[in-house]
Amino acid sequence: MNYKSSLDKIQKLSKLGKILCSIVFVFCVIGIIGSVVGIAFLAAGVDAIHIGGVTLKSIVQTNSGTSIETANIYMAVAIILCSGEAVIAKFAEHYFKGELLDGTPFNMERSKELTRLGIITIGVSIVTEAVAAIVYEIMSFIFVNTDSLEIGNWGSVGIGITFIIVSLICRYGAERGRE
């Protein structure tokens, strides 16, 4: 069998994973910064800010079809969810860096790290979804003119479970390699 070919494919996927994690992290940071800036602009007084003779309030309401209050809630929730995904992306990037340095995912240290990544992914996803839902409920109680929001981050829980299962496969490979 040509194990080298399979390992080369795993390494290429690990390189891709590392790159994608870096990109996700950057987009999350941009999302966080954009949401903070958006909230700051809306807090500064949407009627006071004019762009080409039109107020920011009318631009937001016309282009998004939503109220200023709802926009504030959406951005607050986005900050929470983007923060959680940024944490997960950084841990995943760290895993891929280590795997690339080792040259294989089939060792005990990497399998333990992948298990940890799975647990972190599940935990962070559940916590950020719960916090986002609480923030939404509080803010929608404070602001009267708001739209509903479906917060669904359960896909990340599935990814976390997958990481844990794959870590067991990697652990098995590491144990078989010792024989």
Side-chain angles (χ1 to χ4, degrees), residues 59-169:
I59 293 171
V60 170
Q61 289 178 328
T62 302
N63 291 334
S64 70
T66 189
S67 68
I68 297 299
E69 292 82 5
T70 300
N72 271 311
I73 293 172
Y74 286 178
M75 287 184 284
V77 167
I79 291 168
I80 295 163
L81 295 177
C82 285
S83 297
E85 289 302 318
V87 167
I88 293 169
K90 218 21 136 172
F91 274 100
E93 181 184 4
H94 178 75
Y95 166 78
F96 286 119
K97 281 181 183 177
E99 192 279 335
L100 288 167
L101 285 173
D102 291 348
T104 181
F106 301 108
N107 66 42
M108 296 307 277
E109 183 180 343
R110 246 3 97 215
S111 66
K112 287 178 186 176
E113 191 172 352
L114 192 54
T115 301
R116 184 179 73 151
L117 177 58
I119 293 167
I120 288 168
T121 301
I122 293 168
V124 168
S125 299
I126 291 171
V127 169
T128 56
E129 185 164 335
V131 170
I134 292 167
V135 167
Y136 167 77
E137 290 298 325
I138 291 169
M139 290 182 77
S140 65
F141 181 76
I142 294 169
F143 299 125
V144 285
N145 187 20
T146 61
D147 298 337
S148 64
L149 174 64
E150 293 292 323
I151 301 171
N153 201 20
W154 292 105
S156 293
V157 172
I159 292 171
I161 292 168
T162 303
F163 285 152
I164 293 170
I165 292 168
V166 171
S167 76
L168 294 173
I169 295 168

Side-chain angles (χ1 to χ4, degrees), residues 19-92:
I19 291 167
L20 290 175
C21 288
S22 297
I23 292 169
V24 167
F25 180 79
V26 168
F27 281 140
C28 288
V29 170
I30 290 169
I32 293 165
I33 292 169
S35 294
V36 168
V37 168
I39 289 172
F41 270 116
L42 294 180
V46 290
D47 291 328
I49 300 172
H50 293 274
I51 301 171
V54 182
T55 65
L56 180 60
K57 180 178 182 178
S58 65
I59 293 171
V60 170
Q61 289 178 328
T62 302
N63 291 334
S64 70
T66 189
S67 68
I68 297 299
E69 292 82 5
T70 300
N72 271 311
I73 293 172
Y74 286 178
M75 287 184 284
V77 167
I79 291 168
I80 295 163
L81 295 177
C82 285
S83 297
E85 289 302 318
V87 167
I88 293 169
K90 218 21 136 172
F91 274 100

